[in-house]
Amino acid sequence: MTALGETARIALAAARELADGESCFVGIGIPSDAALLARRSHAPRLGLIYESGVFGADPPGPPLSTGSPEVAAGAAMIADGLTAFGELQAGRISCALLSAAQVDRFGNLNSTVLGPYEAPKLRMVGSGGAHDIACLARRLIVVMPHDPRRFVERVDFATSPGAAPRDTARRRALGLGPGPSVLITGRGRFEMTADGWRLAATLPGFSAADALEGLPWGTPPGPVPGVAFDAAALSALAALPHLHEPSPAP
Amino acid sequence: MTALGETARIALAAARELADGESCFVGIGIPSDAALLARRSHAPRLGLIYESGVFGADPPGPPLSTGSPEVAAGAAMIADGLTAFGELQAGRISCALLSAAQVDRFGNLNSTVLGPYEAPKLRMVGSGGAHDIACLARRLIVVMPHDPRRFVERVDFATSPGAAPRDTARRRALGLGPGPSVLITGRGRFEMTADGWRLAATLPGFSAADALEGLPWGTPPGPVPGVAFDAAALSALAALPHLHEPSPAP
Amino acid sequence: MVRDHVRPGQTLFLGGFGHAVPFALGQEIVRQGIGGLTLCRSGADILFDQMIAAGVVRRVIFGYVGNPGVGLGHAFRRAVAAGTLELEEWTNFAMILRLHAGRLGVPFLPARILGIGDQTPATAAAARIACPYTGTELTAIPALVPDVALIHAQQADDEGNVQLWGVDGDTVEGALASERILVTVERIVPAATLRAAPERTRLPAHRVTAVAEVPWGAHPSWVDGAYGRDDAHYRDYDAVSRDPATLDRWLDDWVRSGGGARCTDLLTDDDLAALRTALGGAS
Amino acid sequence: MVRDHVRPGQTLFLGGFGHAVPFALGQEIVRQGIGGLTLCRSGADILFDQMIAAGVVRRVIFGYVGNPGVGLGHAFRRAVAAGTLELEEWTNFAMILRLHAGRLGVPFLPARILGIGDQTPATAAAARIACPYTGTELTAIPALVPDVALIHAQQADDEGNVQLWGVDGDTVEGALASERILVTVERIVPAATLRAAPERTRLPAHRVTAVAEVPWGAHPSWVDGAYGRDDAHYRDYDAVSRDPATLDRWLDDWVRSGGGARCTDLLTDDDLAALRTALGGAS
């Protein structure tokens, strides 16, 4: 199992969060890969939705953009961005997957700036649809490579709002979704609690200590189960070459 | 000329109000016929728009409904009602044509009820898009057969608001169009003034007295010119059989 | 499909703006006698009138009810006079915006209409708001989220993706605004056929509750590419619906005894062939 | 077309959400040196970055600026660091709603976003309103009406009706929101061809200011049914744009000396043939 690259591990673990028949709002990269893996294994009726307005997508290869030919090819429906975000705001899409440059203890995500907004150390791409997804999704799964620099106590800019208790109350008042409930890293599966992320399971080949290595949030409350990848998912993975690269043992 | 039926006369006279290159929001019946006549004669680039969402229509025959096959056949664009009314509200459509069961001195139109709303003598079809068109059109032309029962001092229900001075001020405050500016009947062409409709021209075969016969509004201020139908329009009319029926001499 | 998913007292959006009116679905509701319904859409044609005549409608939320290009809705008119039908009367644009708000998941949308002219009780009760940027006075059009949308379309695949092209009006708005969507189609097609033209898909599978193949399911309205509009039927309906007893017998013949797609049983093969090749139909 | 209809200092909407990005039009603006521009759209790709690098952009109104799937917009990043570019930063949904409000002719639209999380100066200044029916707190998203929209599409007829199919994003919203619309197309087709498929028409003739036939006018993005996306070009751009001097030379070669459709002159016939038959292109 240690031959699985980090991207493949995250996609496999995130795919397990998605049930058949769900509709899932995804972006480019691991979110798209994870949903596609689920669709090609245990969730053949999973509806992939991209912000470009594409519904029921089944990309034959990894797209660079949500408006790429791979997203359109073989899709069930091509509408527009208003339709995609409108369905999301109306609570008609069951879940969403997001990634970002930084994630913090309460699931705030940053894709805007490193450093202060007015004088950034690094100006990044901005929200795109990430803020909107984080506000509106009824269930939100965050995926991140295990790179400790990306895990911070508090993000420099909360592009996509998280689920701190104060935010949770405000979300309810505004009629928003609950915010991120699950975080999949290259080593572990975390669940959101009133104290922030709690390690809930480890990925194959990693211990609880590995999963928490370098992270600014705490130790697990007790023994942590391991996630098992099933044969169908591994076999779907084999058909997605860009996810199948080997990676160094941890 | 007296062989022209009333519908044909109204359509011919209303067509003269429309310039080439304009876009025109029309409903079923004479509004549609008038715009089509203009398109088939002096205004070949007139864009006919129906509330069903059809743009650049060129009906091969008279449609019964704005969603009929004749409206769709040969149209340049089929979108939806939101697009049609959105363009109208944004002031992107240059003019509109309306008819109704009743019209009054200030161009209020009634297509809702005869008698009181809560206990009507006759319940009719309701606004449809008529209220919306009367509010939003940048230029509005009303067409009505010369049936004195339809011309009243005050409509029973102002489905589609007119251009009384008080309403004109309110229209300006709300960012609406100016309301009806021209009324074409089977006998005359009227223009809106601060005192209401004023006879501005007569249709071929009719005197000013004919045009005002049985109407609740006043006499013309002086001599009134006649409208002349040109050869191109009459020849276009010949190709629209349903408008070409003869009618009794007035 | 209707039996499983439509309950007495629900609010139903009926698709079809002149084109692709879901007659088969609406008439099936009449046959099953599912009553106390609220019907809504912008411009409604004789399917509303028939359902009102059949006694299954308690209330209508609408911009227009009639027989387009022919005349009034006579059963509608009589029900208003008798006081047996509740009216919530808007305009076509207002209805489109009510559904658009429902579809977008916001409780209202602002519009420039309904601030002048006579108002119905419904539009008089609409809130007036000021734009926080320009100060402009606007009407707040409240969202409408129907319980069930009844839609007829050209085709769908096994998964439930629905393709509908041609005149739309507020059909897609109303479908996407609704909690559940029931669809009849002229034909079920393979997923690969549908996915070869994804721009024609207007309702994604995960939003569609059920699909049934019901050819002629929109007759006497029309389906772009399949058959033309049976204008004669609409004109005949004006004649028969002027008298309640005549209309009741007509409902027995055309609706209660079969109806929907099966009401085309009452047409001859020549009639059907003529509609198939009429303007708008297959060529 | 650009010379006649684009003025320095105007606000331009650039069409193309990944698909059908109007590179030929944007690069023509660079060649003509029309400066002081404000560019807007939801998700913007390397055409924004190139125009920023070329010095014609004063301000961007945006939800995202980058090189999708590849990395950052390096000229954008440097201009922000240098303080030479004004930012009005929203989110993609907010930008879509700004354009949707402009298209519908209302001064704002309500939305549930932008009420939580860190705000940019633009979103922090957005008004909060209460729904008059439910009391729900909402953000009032102000309308945006660009001066000119630049659009690339598959085809148009002589009258100026424009057909665009495939991925849209906010392209049609932005075009219809704009005062004027300039369009390049892969091909001009007879009116009868266009009118045979009126559902594919997205911009009606009376709204379109000018149309020009510019094959390959969206390269290196793609056009559904015509050619695939030149992903290698996007990756190369990441490399050349990391260094300002290298990027300037690259702009000389690819943009200033020809650009747009003509930038495909720099590709070999084999390259073009491969794109034509790539995923998304003609088969």
Side-chain angles (χ1 to χ4, degrees), chain A residues 159-248:
Chain A
T159 314
S160 306
R166 193 192 47 195
D167 290 336
T168 299
R170 176 126 178 93
R171 283 174 170 276
R172 222 174 281 125
L174 296 176
L176 304 181
S181 58
V182 169
L183 164 68
I184 306 289
T185 73
R187 299 183 180 182
R189 176 184 185 280
F190 298 79
E191 291 177 359
M192 182 57 69
T193 73
D195 298 320
W197 294 119
R198 186 183 60 81
L199 182 65
T202 53
L203 267 49
F206 296 92
S207 67
D210 294 334
L212 293 168
E213 183 186 356
L215 270 50
W217 47 78
T219 51
V224 170
V227 166
F229 298 142
D230 68 20
L234 289 166
S235 126
L237 181 74
L240 296 170
H242 70 286
L243 283 177
H244 196 50
E245 88 282 21
S247 99

Side-chain angles (χ1 to χ4, degrees), chain D residues 39-119:
Chain D
L39 303 186
C40 66
R41 78 169 346 282
S42 59
D45 82 355
I46 64 172
L47 178 55
F48 266 51
D49 203 67
Q50 290 172 20
M51 294 176 76
I52 292 166
V56 298
V57 183
R58 182 178 65 81
R59 187 159 184 255
V60 287
I61 310 177
F62 70 103
Y64 168 104
V65 179
N67 188 338
V70 176
L72 304 181
H74 296 295
F76 166 71
R77 171 175 64 74
R78 281 191 296 270
V80 173
T84 56
L85 184 68
E86 292 174 35
L87 302 188
E88 183 180 330
E89 179 165 13
W90 298 80
T91 72
N92 278 6
F93 187 29
M95 284 301 297
I96 291 170
L97 289 171
R98 293 201 62 189
L99 297 165
H100 194 50
R103 170 193 168 183
L104 294 180
V106 285
F108 80 95
L109 286 174
R112 296 186 187 276
I113 55 172
L114 303 179
I116 184 172
D118 286 336
Q119 303 299 318

